[in-house]
Amino acid sequence: MIKTCIIGASGYTGAELAALVHGHDQFELAALFVSANSADAGKSLGDIHPQFFNRIELPLQPIDEANLCALAESFDLIFLATPHEASHKWMKQLCSEKSANKAVIMDLSGAFRIKDKHKFAEYYGFEHHADKLLAAAVYGLADWHQEQIKNADLIAIPGCYPTASLTALKPLQQNALIDTAHFPIINAVSGVTGAGRKAALNSSFSEVSLQAYSVLGHRHQPEIIDYLGTDVIFTPHLGNFKRGILATITVKTSANVTERQITEAYQQAYQDNPIVRFRNSWPKIDDVVGTPYCDLFWKLDNKTGYLVVTSAIDNLLKGAASQAMQCANLRFGFETHAGLVN
Ligand SMILES: NC(=O)C1=CN([C@@H]2O[C@H](COP(=O)(O)OP(=O)(O)OC[C@H]3O[C@@H](n4cnc5c(N)ncnc54)[C@H](OP(=O)(O)O)[C@@H]3O)[C@@H](O)[C@H]2O)C=CC1
Ligand SMILES: CC(=O)N[C@@H](CCC(=O)OP(=O)(O)O)C(=O)O
């Protein structure tokens, strides 16, 4: 059994991870942690997230920030479901070269995704101080970077919007089907859990109404561009529902691209992949919420050469926890979808 712990386990993605690890027959859910001064320290996961009441009764332990090296030596696998700043601050100790048997780290935050330190500071609002680890981190886009993930000790799990967007766009980019003179336009709507569990005015019940935000400045735009290899315009929206992301993407295709070429590009990318589903109608968020799937559907306008692709995921699962589990499966030699789909 792979001895596993979760740091940030009281949060939305941490709790989803706890459920996935608990239900996996190759991973042992050995400990759950929150920050040193957390108001939730000492409670059980079921107290905070009652859907786990009487199912996962492990206590939420306050992390010992001074002794993270020892923590990394006690586990085979550590999931960090923590804010970017906390992951960034703790990573050097967790990955210390002094540690003998180091845990593999899966970081759900954005702290180790963008390789360019200047771009990182511009979009995250703080300087990156872990050059070596930033260079070594592998981007955990599980359906694409399988070989790198299998050999990595630090895996940066992609953001939720990049997961939905890259899953839809990469097969087109890889097959030179995008007319890059026209940037793909990504309009995506997320449920409110995307903003995390902490109370904030702009994500409170009476305030949320469908609205664009961080227009032309969201940190996921450079993340998508870096891992797609072409520019995009990305506009996120907050919707008044709990979970799920629907990304509607408009792409100008290269000259004379046919419907058949597009279908073949998607089939070649995902034909043996049970996580990415080709739909025969436009997916709804409700179709994927609570599942690890990414649902795709597309239509080409032969007159103009514009293609519209829709990609739907659960932001907490395929956009975070279940993609992290796919990476853990790959890293420890199991089928990528083990414990996720039968
Ligand atoms: N929500 C989503 O859809 C997605 C989130 N992510 C990323 O995953 C990470 C976790 O997200 P999510 O579960 O939504 O976040 P939550 O806000 O719901 O949970 C954050 C967790 O981190 C703990 N924590 C530890 N250290 C700190 C700290 N210094 N400040 C605040 N909290 C801390 C919190 O508990 P406590 O403060 O009590 O210790 C809590 O358990 C984030 O980096 C997020 O950007 C990625 C993809 C999708
Ligand atoms: C609705 C909402 O607020 N969503 C979050 C994205 C969540 C995510 O993917 O997280 P990372 O921060 O790990 O990239 C946002 O726009 O900041």
Side-chain angles (χ1 to χ4, degrees):
M1 293 288 267
I2 314 296
K3 192 177 172 196
T4 305
C5 76
I6 299 165
I7 306 179
S10 62
Y12 286 144
T13 61
E16 292 294 337
L17 268 170
L20 292 176
V21 175
H22 180 71
H24 199 300
D25 58 11
Q26 301 295 333
F27 292 83
E28 176 203 354
L29 184 62
L32 301 174
F33 294 99
V34 285
S35 57
N37 300 315
S38 172
D40 293 324
K43 297 177 186 169
S44 76
L45 192 68
D47 293 333
I48 313 280
H49 296 281
Q51 69 269 34
F52 303 122
F53 194 74
N54 274 348
R55 284 175 55 210
I56 305 176
E57 286 303 313
L58 281 175
L60 296 163
Q61 305 175 48
I63 199 164
D64 179 0
E65 285 200 43
N67 215 1
L68 292 170
C69 280
L71 195 76
E73 285 172 1
S74 315
F75 295 91
D76 303 312
L77 170 63
I78 297 178
F79 288 105
L80 280 174
T82 41
H84 318 299
E85 295 81 356
S87 292
H88 173 261
K89 186 169 86 175
W90 295 339
M91 200 62 83
K92 272 193 193 159
Q93 270 211 66
L94 287 169
C95 296
S96 164
E97 281 162 11
K98 288 183 214 136
S99 302
N101 300 308
K102 276 179 293 176
V104 172
I105 312 286
M106 306 270 165
D107 181 20
L108 277 71
S109 88
F112 290 85
R113 298 178 194 145
I114 292 185
K115 300 285 184 188
D116 179 333
K117 280 176 61 170
H118 303 292
K119 215 189 284 176
F120 179 88
E122 181 188 340
Y123 282 92
Y124 283 79
F126 66 96
E127 301 285 330
H128 211 290
H129 294 297
D131 296 22
K132 267 194 181 167
L133 292 173
L134 185 59
V138 162
Y139 190 63
L141 191 65
D143 305 308
W144 286 88
H145 298 168
Q146 303 206 348
E147 293 313 310
Q148 295 106 301
I149 292 166
K150 282 178 189 168
N151 295 304
D153 290 332
L154 169 54
I155 299 171
I157 306 301
C160 47
Y161 291 117
T163 297
S165 306
L166 291 168
T167 305
L169 284 168
K170 275 188 84 72
L172 306 173
Q173 164 71 1
Q174 296 275 305
N175 288 280
L177 300 179
I178 300 175
D179 175 352
T180 50
H182 305 258
F183 297 175
I185 307 288
I186 305 164
N187 284 307
V189 189
S190 171
V192 186
T193 51
R197 186 165 168 265
K198 285 226 159 55
L201 186 62
N202 63 358
S203 58
S204 74
F205 183 77
S206 304
E207 298 290 327
V208 176
S209 171
L210 183 57
Q211 185 184 29
Y213 67 99
S214 300
V215 176
L216 298 176
H218 195 282
R219 65 187 181 287
H220 286 174
Q221 177 154 314
E223 186 180 326
I224 296 167
I225 292 170
D226 281 358
Y227 293 99
L228 182 62
T230 189
D231 276 309
V232 300
I233 300 292
F234 165 62
T235 310
H237 299 70
L238 187 65
N240 58 348
F241 50 92
K242 287 185 182 172
R243 53 200 277 182
I245 284 182
L246 189 75
T248 300
I249 305 172
T250 306
V251 179
K252 178 80 167 79
T253 55
S254 314
N256 305 318
V257 164
T258 62
E259 193 114 30
R260 190 192 166 103
Q261 282 174 289
I262 291 163
T263 302
E264 281 175 1
Y266 281 120
Q267 280 172 343
Q268 187 189 33
Y270 302 122
Q271 63 189 353
D272 298 320
N273 185 332
I275 299 288
V276 182
R277 303 192 301 188
F278 303 151
R279 295 282 306 276
N280 51 15
S281 61
W282 298 104
K284 305 189 294 293
I285 275 171
D286 281 356
D287 305 340
V288 291
V289 164
T291 81
Y293 300 121
C294 177
D295 279 9
L296 298 177
F297 189 63
W298 59 89
K299 184 173 178 180
L300 175 68
D301 180 6
N302 287 308
K303 283 197 273 280
T304 61
Y306 276 96
L307 172 77
V308 177
V309 192
T310 284
S311 173
I313 61 168
D314 184 329
N315 55 299
L316 297 180
L317 289 173
K318 181 61 176 166
S322 69
Q323 176 145 249
M325 208 59 232
Q326 282 186 263
C327 290
N329 280 328
L330 286 166
R331 177 60 180 77
F332 288 94
F334 309 119
E335 291 234 71
T336 177
H337 56 276
L340 298 171
V341 293
N342 298 319

